Amino acid sequence: MRASDKIKVRQRRFAHVALIIISFSLMFVGKADLVAMRDARMSSNDFLAPVIDFVSAPIRGVETMADGIRTVASLRAENVRLQAENDLLQRWRRRAEILESENQQLRSVTGAVSYENRRLITARAVTAPGGSFAHTVLIAIGDEEGIEAGDPVITSNGLVGIVYDVGRAYARVLMISDINARIPVMLASSSWPGLTMGRNSEYLELAFLPAEARPAIGELVLTSGHGGILPAGLAVGRVERVDGDYVQVRPAVDFRNLGYVSILIGGTEGVDRSDLSQDSFFTPLPVEDDKRLLEGLNASGTRQ
Amino acid sequence: MKDQQSYFEKADFQSDLPKQFLILFVGIVLVLFEVGLAQWPFFYGASPFLSLIFMYFILIYHDELMPIITVFIMGLVADLLMSDILGGRATAMMLLSYAMRMGILRLQQSEFMDLWLGFAVSCAAVTLFQLIVFSVINLAVPAISPLLFQVGFTLILFPIGFFMMFSVQRLLQTLQVTR
């Protein structure tokens, strides 16, 4: 082997080792969530998203075609089903109108606050989760439209996730099924609070329920609004399995067919606080243990 | 003497760079296709590693056309687009390419079934590496069933991918001979 060849081999080996070290370091630098890294990530997404859109156009075309064939094949059955569903929905609509009017009357009587200061904007989902290690989607909307990290992303069926990275024309949404997603929720019927945790699978786990909570199969799980990021009352899913302390929730949204999503912009607190002072909005629990909360009980729950 | 010198100058300038760029381009397109494939409900959250099949084939038969930087870029693009741990797949793929280069002669002389088995081990190793890194960094273990589906489906697609690439290679060789 000539000397120049030896040098070349040595240089190549050095390049190999250097690249592996760089790549390995990137894993930890990326996890550190540095602003520069986030910006670089979103800039590259902004650059690559239109290319993905172009490459996946034939895939979407095939899917649409298959969907069309399925629809044509089951047109008659689908029509019967839709008519039945329409009848049911009309009955529900009448009931909803009555309940809405009653709700408004009760709100005006009790002075309850509402969160109607949010604006809804729709965007197309460009990607779907492709790997098993992250459940995120790229949506075709960016800070040009005024969206910010933390904005909730929904469909007509319920909560999809939260915007966590915003680029110029694209944003990335952390789905509620991601392993890093924690959503404060409550059980709709029994009102017990809890936390749904993603598992990077099609189900969520409902955790941190009080010991007294008895979630029922099929019970609706809604966002509780705790933490102020998400508004209360968004459908998260339904309880599907209860096995001791383990409660499995099926998401309300079918993430496999995510074409368009809506982003709730503004009002990050989820509550219209414009005419409420901080003191009257948030009242902390009494500090002294002996202060009476209810007749006969103090803050530590001791009868007195 | 002068002619001989000019001949060697020309030989020195014979570069693989354009072909390497082409391989990089195809590799990135395959990564993008992988991401696009996830839009099919069937592959939701577990699209097959098409780029890994491509890398495996090229490294066995044309390793000079796939320098480590190509593997790094392909892995990094996949990490970025799938929002995985940055560098996770890139590192796994680079380590695999390094290991493959060490036993390249044995792989080149292997039967298809051995290659398939080798690919199964490689695919499992890449996934396991990512799983370990993910679990260590996030202190949580993700659902295993999508991972098994992803690896399993990639293994099913391997003969098809391999056959297609072999056909393209044959076609290119025929064109080169005719030209």
Side-chain angles (χ1 to χ4, degrees):
Chain A
M1 195 185 268
R2 287 187 300 176
S4 60
D5 288 343
K6 274 185 184 171
I7 292 169
K8 269 185 188 173
V9 169
R10 210 170 294 160
Q11 279 175 342
R12 200 174 297 161
R13 271 193 197 150
F14 177 75
H16 278 207
V17 174
L19 268 176
I20 289 171
I21 290 169
I22 289 170
S23 186
F24 203 79
S25 323
L26 265 177
M27 291 191 281
F28 297 95
V29 176
K31 190 62 191 172
D33 209 20
L34 303 172
V35 179
M37 285 297 284
R38 273 186 163 218
D39 288 349
R41 221 179 232 263
M42 266 334 282
S43 303
S44 54
N45 278 336
D46 272 338
F47 173 72
L48 287 167
V51 189
I52 302 174
D53 217 12
F54 178 74
V55 172
S56 52
I59 298 167
R60 278 200 304 272
V62 172
E63 196 202 332
T64 311
M65 199 174 71
D67 209 32
I69 293 167
R70 271 199 302 270
T71 311
V72 169
S74 60
L75 215 55
R76 200 180 165 84
E78 186 74 1
N79 193 28
V80 172
R81 193 187 64 79
L82 285 174
Q83 274 180 355
E85 195 175 296
N86 194 31
D87 288 344
L88 189 74
L89 287 175
Q90 277 181 352
R91 282 205 292 276
W92 273 107
R93 187 185 160 187
R94 278 194 291 277
R95 188 152 178 216
E97 280 169 355
I98 294 164
L99 287 172
E100 192 183 0
S101 138
E102 192 181 301
N103 193 22
Q104 273 176 2
Q105 284 174 25
L106 288 171
R107 273 180 185 277
S108 66
V109 170
T110 57
V113 288
S114 63
Y115 51 84
E116 284 160 3
N117 55 342
R118 288 186 187 254
R119 190 162 57 91
L120 206 69
I121 193 160
T122 302
R124 191 164 54 83
V126 179
T127 62
S132 311
F133 299 108
H135 275 209
T136 64
V137 282
L138 211 56
I139 54 171
I141 194 167
D143 55 12
E144 286 172 343
E145 298 290 338
I147 71 162
E148 290 173 5
D151 286 341
V153 179
I154 58 170
T155 69
S156 56
N157 292 325
L159 184 67
V160 172
I162 297 166
V163 173
Y164 85 95
D165 257 345
V166 187
R168 193 178 49 77
Y170 292 88
R172 198 167 272 284
V173 177
L174 183 78
M175 295 164 87
I176 55 172
S177 57
D178 188 273
I179 206 158
N180 291 306
R182 303 278 186 274
I183 308 292
V185 292
M186 62 175 193
L187 292 164
S189 308
S190 50
S191 297
W192 288 113
L195 207 64
T196 59
M197 306 194 296
R199 282 279 169 261
N200 280 4
S201 71
E202 53 185 312
Y203 298 106
L204 313 173
E205 188 185 337
L206 180 55
F208 298 106
L209 279 173
E212 305 95 302
R214 298 280 177 271
I217 305 287
E219 191 170 356
L220 192 62
V221 178
L222 303 170
T223 51
S224 64
H226 292 131
I229 301 274
L230 296 166
L234 293 174
V236 174
R238 280 186 190 277
V239 174
E240 183 149 296
R241 190 159 72 92
V242 181
D243 189 5
D245 285 344
Y246 177 76
V247 183
Q248 184 176 285
V249 175
R250 177 180 279 278
V253 181
D254 184 359
F255 297 129
R256 291 171 305 168
N257 293 308
L258 214 57
Y260 285 87
V261 292
S262 301
I263 301 105
L264 289 170
I265 298 176
T268 44
E269 302 306 318
V271 179
D272 184 6
R273 294 190 294 168
S274 52
D275 57 349
L276 284 170
S277 63
Q278 190 71 18
D279 293 347
S280 58
F281 172 68
F282 178 69
T283 311
L285 283 169
V287 178
E288 306 100 79
D289 274 358
D290 56 350
K291 187 167 181 177
R292 287 185 178 201
L293 287 178
L294 296 166
E295 194 56 47
L297 289 176
N298 64 18
S300 56
T302 318
R303 188 176 285 278
Q304 53 180 33
Chain B
M1 185 66 194
K2 194 182 173 186
D3 283 339
Q4 200 179 12
Q5 192 185 353
S6 63
Y7 170 76
F8 279 118
E9 275 173 10
K10 195 178 175 188
D12 280 346
F13 277 112
Q14 284 288 330
S15 168
D16 281 332
L17 213 59
K19 285 180 188 168
Q20 287 175 348
F21 266 110
L22 187 69
I23 294 292
L24 174 65
F25 177 76
V26 175
I28 290 176
V29 168
L30 276 173
V31 170
L32 294 173
F33 193 70
E34 243 176 69
V35 176
L37 217 55
Q39 291 186 351
W40 256 346
F42 185 71
F43 290 124
Y44 176 82
S47 64
F49 296 120
L50 300 179
S51 53
L52 201 64
I53 300 176
F54 177 70
M55 184 191 112
Y56 193 77
F57 179 87
I58 297 292
L59 278 178
I60 292 175
Y61 298 110
H62 305 281
D63 69 316
E64 74 286 354
L65 298 182
M66 191 172 257
I68 195 120
I69 186 83
T70 304
V71 180
F72 175 68
I73 294 171
M74 276 168 63
L76 206 62
V77 170
D79 287 333
L80 273 170
L81 291 176
M82 292 185 188
S83 199
D84 280 350
I85 293 169
L86 203 62
R89 186 146 153 191
T91 311
M93 282 168 75
M94 280 196 292
L95 288 172
L96 175 66
S97 85
Y98 200 72
M100 277 181 73
R101 276 177 222 271
M102 287 200 285
I104 198 99
L105 281 174
R106 192 184 52 78
L107 282 167
Q108 279 169 350
Q109 289 155 4
S110 298
E111 295 287 314
F112 177 75
M113 286 307 286
D114 293 333
L115 288 180
W116 200 355
L117 191 71
F119 181 74
V121 173
S122 309
C123 204
V126 167
T127 310
L128 195 67
F129 178 84
Q130 283 184 279
L131 180 67
I132 290 169
V133 167
F134 181 89
S135 304
V136 167
I137 289 181
N138 288 290
L139 298 173
V141 182
I144 303 294
S145 53
L147 281 171
L148 294 176
F149 176 82
Q150 194 170 22
V151 173
F153 213 87
T154 310
L155 293 183
I156 292 170
L157 286 181
F158 179 75
I160 305 167
F162 209 82
F163 175 74
M164 279 169 69
M165 280 185 282
F166 220 87
S167 308
V168 172
Q169 181 188 254
R170 279 279 175 83
L171 185 76
L172 289 174
Q173 278 171 350
T174 317
L175 285 173
Q176 218 164 17
V177 169
T178 355
R179 202 173 58 171

